[in-house]
Structures are given as structure tokens and as C-alpha cells.
Amino acid sequence: MTQWRSLAERMVREQIVARGVRSESVLEAMRSVPRHLFVDEALRESAWIDSPLPIGEDQTISQPYMVARMTELLGLARGETVLEIGTGSGYQAAVLCAMGAKVTSLERIASLADSARERLDGLGFDVRVIWSDGSPESRPAGPFDGVIVTAAAPELEEWWSGVLAPGGRLVVPLSVMPGGQRLLLRKMNLRGEYEDTWHDYCRFVPLLKGRKGG
């Protein structure tokens, strides 16, 4: 797909800027990551549309706007550390990496972890991908400046907040109704206290427990 940069620019302009995302670092990262290489070849013509797409194992690559919006809420500065819960295709991790973040990403499905790791390495994105469902024996200790959860969480897991550094941020689509979620932004202030704010309504595939494959 030789014209992908113009397609990426159009995606950013029509789907992301038009809906209010203003962070220039987020917009530039969304322009620079070749989204079409994170889906199956048969879906590459659809990679830039305003929709999630299947990536196998009943998982999806998130809608471009939602990737941008969650990334903007995370409020990253270059060089900060981020923990992603749910690697999937690796696209969200690539966007974070393109912004200069140091990214560790957990994926419970071994085949997706392996393919995302290979894809990210091949594209030059330095992301540490771990086959893990977030259970204590397979998760990193932190601390992290940001934590981003890329699947629908039925509840807020304590350890996500527990690995935040002072001043850190957590973004998670938290279930608030049957089949629907809302983005929660949790900030830890320098006194170690949490400040929560609610943002967009959204719809994600469910966050599941247990490692699969391997």
C-alpha cells in the first residue's frame, strides 16, 4: 500500500482531529505508524476506516479515534514508562513507542504476543511484549508513569494503580452498563492520592483471565 501516509493523514484529520483530539504528539504518532501493517493483508484496505477490525482469537485492533483519545488522556511525555494491558496487534504499543515512551505490554494469548512482538521488532518499535494475563507471577513490578488497559474491564484491579509512579496516570475502559464502558482516567498525585475523572463512552472486547496457548 504505497499511499498509506496520505490515508493516515486523512484518518487523523477526519476521524481524530474532527472529534477534538488536540495533542500534537498524539496526532503525529497516529500519522507515522503504518496501521495497515497491524491487520491481516485481506483487511489492509480497511485499516484506515473509523472502526475496530478483527485480528483473530476474537480480538480486535481498536478504532483509530479510541486509540488516539486514550493516548491523549494518558498525557505522556517523551521518555516516560508505560504498561499496556492487552497487546493485541501491537498497534497501540507502536503509537506509544512513536511518542517516545518506553513500553512494556502484556498479552494473555501466546499467538498474539508472538506475532505482535515480531511485527513491532520488524518495524523498529522497541516494545517489551510479555505473555501474561497480569497475574502476580508474570507481571512487571513497575513503577510506571502510565498504565493503559485496552479491553473492557469489569472492575478496577488494584494492582494497576499499585504500579503507578507518583504523578502517574491510568486509563481504562471500565464497564458501566451491560455491553458498554466508559473511559476512566485515574491520576496519582504527588501525595499518593488518586483523582478519578470520567470521559468517553466506548465498547471494547472483554478483559479475560488466564494465559492461552504457549
Side-chain angles (χ1 to χ4, degrees), residues 104-184:
T104 299
S105 186
L106 309 186
E107 173 54 58
R108 62 175 287 272
I109 301 173
S111 60
L112 292 182
D114 291 343
S115 61
R117 187 182 299 111
E118 181 178 354
R119 182 180 299 115
L120 290 162
D121 286 348
L123 293 171
F125 294 110
D126 184 13
V127 176
R128 182 188 179 200
V129 179
I130 302 173
W131 178 41
S132 169
D133 67 343
S135 54
E137 67 272 10
S138 62
R139 69 186 182 222
F144 295 93
D145 299 302
V147 175
I148 185 168
V149 182
T150 58
E155 60 186 7
L156 203 59
E157 297 198 18
E158 289 186 11
W159 76 269
W160 297 339
S161 302
V163 297
L164 286 177
R169 289 83 58 200
L170 163 67
V171 176
V172 52
L174 198 62
S175 294
V176 293
M177 65 185 76
Q181 304 87 46
R182 193 173 182 187
L183 295 181
L184 174 68

Side-chain angles (χ1 to χ4, degrees), residues 76-81 95-103:
L76 290 176
R78 181 168 290 275
E80 287 194 313
T81 57
V95 170
L96 296 169
C97 193
M99 294 177 64
K102 299 175 182 178
V103 185

Side-chain angles (χ1 to χ4, degrees), residues 57 59 108-109 133-134 151-152 154 157 205-211:
E57 299 285 354
Q59 303 299 301
R108 62 175 287 272
I109 301 173
D133 67 343
E157 297 198 18
V205 296
L207 184 70
L208 300 175
K209 296 290 188 181
R211 292 197 295 181

